[in-house]
Amino acid sequence: MNLEQQRAASEALLAQEADSLGALLAQLRDRISPVLIGGAQWRALLDRAGDLPPTLGAFPFGFELPLHEDRPGADLGVSVVGGTRAAAFYEEQGRCQDANSTAAGIARLLHETEPEDSPLRQVVGRKMMLEYDVESAPGGTHPDPGIFLRPAERPIFGDGDSRRSQDIGVVLEAIVSAAGWQTDSAERRVIEQVHRAQGRGVRIESFGVFPARERAIRLAVTGFRTSRDVVAFLESAGWSGSHSRAGAAVSRFEDRNAFVSTGVHFDVHADGLGPTLGLSFLAKERVANDPRYWVDSPRLWAPFLDGLREGGLAVPDKLSALAGWSSGVETLFGAGGPYVLMRGIHHVKLVLGGDRIEQVKGYVYFLICAWPQGGQSATRSRAGVATRFVPGPIRASRRTRGDR
């Protein structure tokens, strides 16, 4: 069974499991600490996810957790891949007569990446990420999600290849249009300047927009290995903030060997780069199209979380709860058959404003997959643990592998 077949099987089973992503999440409540998401925030999350299809669970989805404040809340992030059941939901939303500009823009992106020879598909593939603010706006309405495109098929490295500028233009035009905005040549010039500042091995990780917020292009540049590399890039890119403060924030964790790479996140405006800077940290190398990447382990993040705790940068109880998030691989039994559940920490981000670290955010994920055999009969995992179909709501079996 190839990757597309596996995803289709997972979507088919999840469609039987719940009538929404919110209902699916409700069955996973015991795996989400109330210290991280609790009380009114949990109810708000289920309400927000209640408008989304359960089939989104077949792709990486998860939460943005504010680790620097006591409030146990989260925002929701999902992955949408063209040609899937989940994508069909967004396409139908965008075709409705009363669809707003963001819904129409998301559907347009899915349509634009459908042809194999599409210039946009050749750069970003058929995947996008959507970020939903969980807290409702005045009047009880939900703001439109943020939209992110990642140049995964043809990464935009800082290697001097003449195609990179063209690829920047293709992705930028697509995502600006999806937000319902007009293109701005000044924004592109700023991004081109950032691109020229990239060294080899450094790439533009993603382009993002938040249609419900003040206009800006959220640009993520990743692949830095040392604080010195980050500072040199910030100087060359023309960021106006404190380079030494940014370097010190990275050095704090570099000295602990607590990450394998770090990224820089800017808000791009027509008149330059915004003053706020995000610094994201990965504890393991990303491997394209390798499902083993999603098998996480608490030991990978222990040095980084210890650094946050000793620096007084995050709420201690939240760090303790986050340390137990990663679970390796679990077997779940649901109404449609047996599943595999993977959950872990994707990255941690420090947000610098002025001369200090203002925010610390943890980005965690779930991924739910059907057994490769389709989940309809007794089967055996690669680790040799037998499982069998048991009707009813999702519940856990023994962990199969990846436990620490």
Side-chain angles (χ1 to χ4, degrees):
M1 183 180 290
N2 62 30
L3 181 60
E4 289 187 4
Q5 292 171 328
Q6 176 65 31
R7 287 173 170 174
S10 300
E11 284 196 287
L13 287 181
L14 289 172
Q16 302 176 48
E17 198 62 52
D19 59 7
S20 71
L21 183 62
L24 187 68
L25 278 173
Q27 298 185 53
L28 298 171
R29 179 52 171 149
D30 62 348
R31 290 165 180 79
I32 302 172
S33 169
V35 172
L36 297 174
I37 312 175
Q41 293 82 9
W42 174 249
R43 292 189 293 274
L45 173 63
L46 295 186
D47 178 64
R48 190 69 188 92
D51 296 332
L52 304 176
T55 50
L56 287 168
F59 308 92
F61 72 98
F63 313 117
E64 177 190 288
L65 304 169
L67 304 177
H68 57 285
E69 58 184 40
D70 291 324
R71 179 181 66 90
D75 288 329
L76 172 67
V78 302
S79 304
V80 182
V81 179
T84 64
R85 292 191 185 201
F89 166 85
Y90 287 97
E91 290 169 333
E92 183 177 353
Q93 275 200 327
R95 287 194 298 264
C96 292
Q97 289 186 348
D98 60 349
N100 64 22
S101 61
T102 302
I106 292 170
R108 192 163 54 249
L109 284 176
L110 290 167
H111 177 73
E112 190 175 347
T113 56
E114 185 174 350
E116 290 188 6
D117 60 352
S118 157
L120 181 61
R121 178 172 174 171
Q122 290 175 2
V123 181
V124 303
R126 303 191 70 184
K127 180 180 178 180
M128 73 178 76
M129 286 74 72
L130 302 178
E131 183 176 312
Y132 290 89
D133 290 338
V134 169
E135 296 293 336
S136 60
T141 60
H142 293 298
D144 292 334
I147 308 168
F148 291 81
L149 293 176
R150 180 171 177 257
E153 298 299 312
R154 195 157 66 216
I156 302 177
F157 286 110
D159 55 8
D161 189 321
S162 59
R163 291 183 303 174
R164 307 307 185 203
S165 178
Q166 180 180 349
D167 290 347
I168 287 172
V170 167
V171 181
L172 183 60
E173 182 177 354
I175 202 162
V176 165
S177 176
W181 303 335
Q182 298 295 316
T183 56
D184 187 329
S185 58
E187 288 174 343
R188 178 167 177 174
R189 285 195 292 271
V190 176
I191 294 175
E192 293 276 10
Q193 178 181 342
V194 171
H195 178 241
R196 288 193 295 271
Q198 294 172 216
R200 287 188 174 275
V202 175
R203 66 187 181 278
I204 295 180
E205 175 71 12
S206 64
F207 297 73
V209 291
F210 289 90
R213 303 182 189 177
E214 179 183 356
R215 175 166 178 156
I217 309 299
R218 179 68 55 83
L219 196 69
V221 182
T222 62
F224 302 101
R225 303 293 179 176
T226 68
S227 57
R228 180 178 299 178
D229 293 339
V230 170
V231 170
F233 168 73
L234 293 175
E235 291 173 348
S236 183
W239 182 59
S240 61
S242 172
H243 302 159
S244 61
R245 175 66 65 180
V250 178
S251 293
R252 175 193 299 269
F253 302 97
E254 184 179 4
D255 293 342
R256 293 174 167 270
N257 294 316
F259 65 89
V260 297
S261 69
T262 187
V264 172
H265 303 249
F266 298 115
D267 277 340
V268 175
H269 304 279
D271 60 353
L273 299 173
T276 302
L277 183 75
L279 295 170
S280 61
F281 298 85
L282 292 173
K284 59 181 175 179
E285 298 287 357
R286 180 173 295 165
V287 182
N289 298 321
D290 187 344
R292 290 173 296 181
Y293 171 76
W294 301 104
V295 180
D296 202 15
S297 167
R299 65 178 177 79
L300 292 175
W301 284 99
F304 196 94
L305 299 183
D306 287 344
L308 291 175
R309 182 178 290 105
E310 292 180 16
L313 299 175
V315 177
D317 286 350
K318 284 194 170 185
L319 291 177
S320 297
L322 186 62
W325 182 277
S326 303
S327 64
V329 177
E330 293 182 81
T331 303
L332 303 181
F333 294 95
Y339 301 83
V340 170
L341 173 69
M342 291 172 275
R343 55 192 171 114
I345 301 172
H346 188 271
H347 66 278
V348 176
K349 182 193 291 184
L350 310 182
V351 180
L352 277 64
D355 62 351
R356 66 187 184 91
I357 297 173
E358 292 186 335
Q359 300 177 35
V360 180
K361 300 179 179 181
Y363 293 79
V364 298
Y365 63 83
F366 280 116
L367 179 59
I368 305 173
C369 302
W371 286 105
Q373 293 86 345
Q376 300 303 311
S377 60
T379 187
R380 183 170 294 272
S381 76
R382 291 181 182 178
V385 178
T387 64
R388 61 186 180 85
F389 172 72
V390 180
I394 288 178
R395 61 178 184 268
S397 174
R398 293 180 289 170
R399 291 177 181 171
T400 58
R401 59 189 174 91
D403 296 335
R404 297 291 185 271

